[in-house]
Amino acid sequence: MKLIQTLCPFCGVGCGLEIVSTATTDQEIKRDEQGNPIWKVRGDRQHPSSQGMVCVKGATVTESIRRDRLLHPMIRETLDQPFRQVSWDEALNLMVERIQTVQRDYGSDALSMYGSGQFVTEDYYIAQKLMKGCLGTNNFDANSRLCMSSAVSGYVQSLGSDGPPCCYEDLELTDCAFIVGSNTAECHPIVFNRFAKYHKKNPDVKLIVVDPRYTPTAEAADLHLPIRPGTDIDLFNGIGYLLLRWGDIDAVFIDECTRNFQQYAQLLQSYTPEIVAKRCGITIEALETAARYWQQSKRILSLWSMGLNQSSEGTAKVRSLINLHLMTGQIGKAGCGPFSLTGQPNAMGGREAGGLAHLLPGYRFVNNPQHRAEVEQFWGIPEGRISPTPGRTVWDMILGLEQDEVQFLWIAATNPAVSLPDLERTKAALLKSPFTVYQEAYYPTETSAYAHVLLPATQWSEKTGVMTNSERRVTYCPGFDQPLGEARHDWEIFAEVGRRLGFKEQFAFQTSADVYAEFVQLTSGRPCDMSGLSHDRLQHQGPTQWPCPAGSTEPGRQRLYTDNHFATPDRRAIFGGYHSKGLAEPSDPNYPYVLTTGRLYGHWHTLTRTGRTNKTQQMHPDPFIEIHPKDAGNLGIENGDIVEVRSRRGSCQFPAKVTAFIAPGTVFVPMHWGTLWASDAEANTLTHPHACPDSRQPELKACAVQLKSVISHQLSVISQEVDS
Ligand SMILES: Nc1nc2c(c(=O)[nH]1)N[C@H]1C(S)=C(S)[C@@H](COP(=O)(O)OP(=O)(O)OC[C@H]3O[C@@H](n4cnc5c(=O)[nH]c(N)nc54)[C@H](O)[C@@H]3O)O[C@H]1N2
Ligand SMILES: Nc1nc2c(c(=O)[nH]1)N[C@H]1C(S)=C(S)[C@@H](COP(=O)(O)OP(=O)(O)OC[C@H]3O[C@@H](n4cnc5c(=O)[nH]c(N)nc54)[C@H](O)[C@@H]3O)O[C@H]1N2
Ligand code: SF4
Ligand SMILES: [Mo]
């Protein structure tokens, strides 16, 4: 029996999987009609993060991984031509020539790369070494910009460094989980299961869920606060006000371990329960109950994700939540702390490896001269090669295409023609791109229509690398299946282009273990120190949390800041008090509803895998819009009617799901369906790109829309009957 231990390639929970084949020889492996091996998947009981549990996505992952794959490099001169298959040599030569021409004629900043939290750490490291180190432009950004960047900037500004301080064991040690803007039950199911089991067994343990929707997560809550979208800062400040008034603060911790409390306390004065309850659209009693849970809990664990991060004031929201932990001393101890749940399987690894336009490996920053000098020296590149200015965020790349400033765009492991905001504008910009390379596992995706060059990439199961999950745990993921067609590993493609551009020494790697070995050296002495890790150690010791410095015999550290020393220069955490500016695009009489967008349990993002998996496709076959019965009644909309939803940027049509699970005045649309899977149902046709000034993360969670019933359900049933 062949047994492979690896990590689930879907969400940031990072569950351990065991891939099992009962065959003893290659000939005996069971295969489907296309001759692809059929693997059995089960949870890995030895993986400390998931302890043998998996959700439907992990359990069914192998069904889709060999369907509709991109097999060969393809090129075309213009987007209206068909692709023609070419050799790797021809595709790479074309790219290298083009990079050199663009550099000569426009400068390095006309080059941009847009990557993904679905890279392994080795892919990330090589991609940004190529762009930032060798080509001298910081224009490397990742889809984590749409996902985690507010958590990063919130942690950095409040605690001095990125890095979630908590671990999953805290889920089973807390007195109260405060879940904000996270549908954990559907999006981080195994994190949710670990807490839910413990919650059920311990009636004194509380769960507060803050979400404008009554989600499956909210269903399990002792207290659900269905706040108006975008009012989280008011809520946090309202809780802070009450804790301060009741005297339930940790004065010693505040005094010895923090800065700026006085300003924060001053700011809280205007957050009386009356004002806060009104702004948030909840009752004073509900607000007070939430504050009581905070008051009575010795250990309170906040969990958040996109409901806070995807906001034009995402950093302020994250910091306002961290303030509550600082004022109560609820950090650096078992069972408590501000715990950001990462979205993608290796968005954490991306942060470590310098995978955003303002970062360098080892939690360094491009605008820090010392950080640049350290990295330049280590890479053996001339002093001053790394630019001191943060590169283009992904939205800046779109603007750069509009203004002819981006001349070469390289997209890998993400599907921006579905997932970026203001999709009509995004698509128009992509259409205008003089040269786009798209490095993908599948064909087609919505983005392949905008590519001049398609490069076939291997994906999970075929490539070896490491990924870090939300609790800072690093897992070795071996390649256990043959690459399909001519697909190559992402990091190998980046390295090959680097060598062809003349950087032979910088990209002289033989294996991904070599890449990892180089990368971890750059983390030495940094907050995310992984210098003690290697592929070999991870294979033998199993999944390990960082920090894990070289020479240390510790098996990795569970929690950060246990000594109450933070990563700021004076080692104190910093209160950052904010008044909310509200939504970037609030509703108004013309666009009277707030649209929010998000995810469903069985589907993953743009459906490249879960759309090709029977079980998940059957779970959620079609897009829909959730509307509260009151709103539906006012508009004459009934369940199943086709509703036209219009924002200032475009319109879509969805079947209505009339449900009290959404707050009145708010509507919800899943983000999953692009043009290949449904017509006129792309959530991002409606969304806008206004972003947080600090994290530059767009407000994908709220825009103003109008609704109109276009086809009544009754009529559509009749017309279907007539048709047949
Ligand atoms: N099944 C599944 N799981 C996934 C993914 C997937 O595609 N499918 N993707 C992964 C990725 S990359 C990510 S980033 C995570 C995302 O994980 P989550 O953030 O949990 O998922 P979302 O559904 O995007 O949004 C969460 C909730 O935010 C709420 N919300 C909207 N506006 C506000 C607000 O103003 N305040 C508050 N408090 N809440 C608000 C929404 O109603 C929604 O229920 O999931 C990961 N896991
Ligand atoms: N309206 C709205 N929009 C959103 C969000 C939202 O909540 N609402 N959420 C945002 C967030 S948090 C995220 S993370 C993004 C996600 O958005 P995307 O990144 O666009 O979504 P995915 O479908 O995960 O795209 C990943 C692509 O990589 C390919 N792939 C998988 N593995 C590999 C590999 O190893 N190598 C290569 N080269 N390709 C690979 C897959 O086939 C797929 O096409 O969406 C964002 N957009
Ligand atoms: S919870 Fe996330 S990591 Fe775990 S099996 Fe499900 S999708 Fe995979
Ligand atoms: Mo994400």
Side-chain angles (χ1 to χ4, degrees):
M1 189 166 89
K2 203 167 165 185
L3 191 145
I4 299 115
Q5 285 177 305
T6 185
L7 198 73
C8 172
F10 287 112
C11 85
V13 173
C15 297
L17 299 185
E18 276 180 358
I19 314 293
V20 198
S21 159
T22 44
T24 43
T25 66
D26 237 26
Q27 285 72 35
E28 286 176 32
I29 293 178
K30 282 206 185 120
R31 289 172 191 276
D32 64 14
E33 300 108 61
Q34 282 82 38
N36 295 318
I38 301 172
W39 303 99
K40 263 205 179 131
V41 183
R42 63 184 189 212
D44 176 2
R45 285 170 189 275
Q46 285 170 27
H47 199 289
S49 298
S50 51
Q51 305 167 351
M53 292 179 271
V54 277
C55 79
V56 67
K57 295 180 291 303
T60 56
V61 59
T62 54
E63 196 178 319
S64 60
I65 49 173
R66 294 176 84 88
R67 288 189 180 151
D68 301 333
R69 293 288 298 274
L70 176 62
L71 300 174
H72 306 285
M74 315 241 254
I75 63 176
R76 60 181 169 185
E77 276 65 48
T78 55
L79 299 185
D80 52 8
Q81 291 174 351
F83 283 109
R84 70 193 155 84
Q85 187 181 327
V86 293
S87 66
W88 269 103
D89 236 8
E90 192 176 341
L92 294 172
N93 283 340
L94 178 70
M95 286 167 62
V96 166
E97 254 169 52
R98 191 74 179 210
I99 290 173
Q100 286 165 333
T101 316
V102 168
Q103 257 190 319
R104 190 191 59 219
D105 296 347
Y106 298 88
S108 291
D109 284 334
L111 307 166
S112 286
M113 188 189 283
Y114 179 43
S116 165
Q118 289 160 76
F119 280 164
V120 291
T121 301
E122 294 79 354
D123 300 329
Y124 256 120
Y125 177 69
I126 296 297
Q128 58 82 51
K129 183 177 184 181
L130 175 65
M131 296 303 287
K132 293 173 186 167
C134 298
L135 295 173
T137 174
N138 291 328
N139 293 343
F140 175 90
D141 212 37
N143 57 3
S144 307
R145 182 68 65 185
L146 312 172
C147 182
M148 299 321 305
S149 56
S150 296
V152 174
S153 51
Y155 276 140
V156 169
Q157 291 182 17
S158 290
L159 307 178
S161 171
D162 186 15
C166 314
C167 63
Y168 294 162
E169 196 188 74
D170 292 330
L171 296 161
E172 290 136 3
L173 294 170
T174 189
D175 301 323
C176 176
F178 186 58
I179 298 185
V180 196
S182 160
N183 182 4
T184 327
E186 292 195 79
C187 296
H188 294 97
I190 302 309
V191 157
F192 187 76
N193 282 4
R194 282 186 67 165
F195 174 76
K197 277 191 197 168
Y198 164 79
H199 185 217
K200 261 198 202 122
K201 270 196 226 142
N202 296 279
D204 293 340
V205 170
K206 300 292 184 219
L207 170 61
I208 310 174
V209 173
V210 184
D211 194 309
R213 295 168 61 214
Y214 184 73
T215 59
T217 315
E219 209 178 316
D222 299 285
L223 176 69
H224 172 219
L225 301 175
I227 61 166
R228 276 199 197 98
T231 59
D232 299 83
I233 293 179
D234 296 305
L235 175 73
F236 302 150
N237 289 348
I239 293 173
Y241 172 97
L242 287 171
L243 293 175
L244 190 62
R245 195 174 78 188
W246 297 335
D248 286 296
I249 60 174
D250 187 337
V252 177
F253 180 86
I254 292 170
D255 193 41
E256 290 177 1
C257 310
T258 70
R259 247 191 290 146
N260 276 6
F261 180 68
Q262 284 317 322
Q263 279 115 304
Y264 173 61
Q266 189 62 40
L267 173 131
L268 290 184
Q269 296 312 316
S270 44
Y271 288 84
T272 59
E274 294 71 23
I275 288 175
V276 170
K278 189 154 173 251
R279 278 193 202 150
C280 295
I282 55 174
T283 62
I284 293 178
E285 294 70 44
L287 170 67
E288 282 181 350
T289 308
R292 287 274 170 228
Y293 287 171
W294 269 84
Q295 175 197 40
Q296 287 156 6
S297 304
K298 280 212 183 71
R299 297 166 296 189
I300 188 153
L301 184 67
S302 296
L303 301 157
W304 82 90
S305 49
M306 294 311 114
L308 291 194
N309 291 343
Q310 286 174 341
S311 158
S312 56
E313 44 183 2
T315 308
K317 284 181 179 166
V318 169
R319 294 198 69 190
S320 300
L321 175 58
I322 295 177
N323 289 339
L324 296 178
H325 286 271
L326 297 180
M327 80 189 293
T328 52
Q330 298 263 12
I331 187 167
K333 295 181 292 197
C336 70
F339 196 177
S340 134
L341 295 175
T342 338
Q344 298 173 89
N346 196 34
M348 286 283 290
R351 285 142 78 167
E352 294 149 14
L356 288 169
H358 62 296
L359 301 178
L360 287 171
Y363 280 1
R364 290 181 177 84
F365 296 93
V366 299
N367 63 8
N368 180 318
Q370 195 190 328
H371 289 177
R372 287 198 305 279
E374 286 163 2
V375 177
E376 284 164 351
Q377 210 174 22
F378 183 80
W379 282 344
I381 53 173
E383 197 184 315
R385 172 65 62 76
I386 300 176
S387 161
T389 32
R392 289 179 186 276
T393 65
V394 56
W395 189 251
D396 291 336
M397 290 177 196
I398 295 299
L399 300 182
L401 290 173
E402 284 181 348
Q403 290 147 16
D404 301 321
E405 287 168 2
V406 170
Q407 291 288 323
F408 182 103
L409 178 64
W410 192 343
I411 302 168
T414 177
N415 193 2
V418 182
S419 54
L420 285 186
D422 199 350
L423 210 48
E424 292 309 314
R425 188 171 172 186
T426 292
K427 287 179 185 174
L430 290 173
L431 213 50
K432 207 168 164 255
S433 172
F435 196 84
T436 299
V437 178
Y438 186 39
Q439 188 168 310
E440 242 294 329
Y442 291 83
Y443 181 82
T445 79
E446 287 78 357
T447 303
S448 28
Y450 300 91
H452 298 90
V453 177
L454 290 176
L455 300 180
T458 57
Q459 63 169 339
W460 175 87
S461 78
E462 298 144 8
K463 71 174 171 192
T464 297
V466 307
M467 300 205 263
T468 309
N469 72 6
S470 283
E471 61 163 352
R472 289 173 284 102
R473 193 179 296 280
V474 186
T475 300
Y476 172 77
C477 310
F480 57 88
D481 211 346
Q482 291 302 314
L484 279 168
E486 294 182 86
R488 293 189 183 176
H489 308 318
D490 291 295
W491 71 265
E492 280 188 339
I493 301 170
F494 301 136
E496 180 58 24
V497 170
R499 286 191 292 267
R500 286 173 187 237
L501 284 164
F503 303 99
K504 293 214 161 49
E505 253 169 65
Q506 281 79 8
F507 296 103
F509 303 100
Q510 297 296 317
T511 63
S512 64
D514 298 343
V515 178
Y516 193 65
E518 176 176 308
F519 161 63
V520 294
Q521 290 177 56
L522 267 176
T523 65
S524 175
R526 302 294 305 158
C528 57
D529 197 329
M530 282 168 261
S531 54
L533 296 180
S534 63
H535 279 201
D536 195 46
R537 177 164 170 190
L538 288 165
Q539 261 176 291
H540 291 103
Q541 179 179 296
T544 304
Q545 282 174 296
W546 60 253
C548 185
S552 125
T553 49
E554 258 190 291
R557 220 165 296 155
Q558 275 189 295
R559 298 181 183 84
L560 305 181
Y561 313 124
T562 46
D563 59 1
N564 289 342
H565 285 159
F566 295 91
T568 52
D570 64 2
R571 319 217 71 182
R572 287 167 179 267
I574 307 165
F575 281 96
Y578 293 86
H579 293 298
S580 174
K581 295 193 174 72
L583 297 178
E585 187 183 76
S587 55
D588 63 21
N590 271 334
Y591 295 92
Y593 298 91
V594 176
L595 167 81
T596 190
T597 64
R599 293 160 169 78
L600 306 174
Y601 172 62
H603 273 322
W604 178 259
H605 295 162
T606 71
L607 305 181
T608 53
R609 288 189 189 130
T610 53
R612 296 186 165 91
T613 305
N614 289 336
K615 190 159 178 188
T616 52
Q617 187 56 23
Q618 279 162 11
M619 280 173 110
H620 319 283
D622 298 305
F624 57 84
I625 183 168
E626 284 182 3
I627 308 174
H628 191 274
K630 235 188 343 199
D631 295 329
N634 290 340
L635 293 160
I637 293 171
E638 285 179 37
N639 216 20
D641 287 1
I642 303 296
V643 178
E644 183 182 274
V645 187
R646 187 173 286 280
S647 80
R648 287 180 178 82
R649 294 152 295 278
S651 70
C652 295
Q653 297 195 347
F654 305 93
K657 193 171 183 178
V658 178
T659 167
F661 286 4
I662 183 97
T666 306
V667 291
F668 169 81
V669 164
M671 65 165 288
H672 303 294
W673 282 270
T675 47
L676 291 177
W677 301 92
S679 54
D680 270 347
E682 299 155 286
N684 282 324
T685 300
L686 304 162
T687 58
H688 63 67
H690 295 295
C692 167
D694 288 6
S695 69
R696 314 288 304 281
Q697 178 161 356
E699 189 157 270
L700 290 163
K701 279 287 173 274
C703 67
V705 295
Q706 44 180 254
L707 308 176
K708 163 168 107 185
S709 169
V710 284
I711 306 174
S712 97
H713 178 58
Q714 302 293 342
L715 276 180
S716 83
V717 171
I718 294 166
S719 76
Q720 273 166 24
E721 280 166 4
V722 172
D723 283 351
S724 58

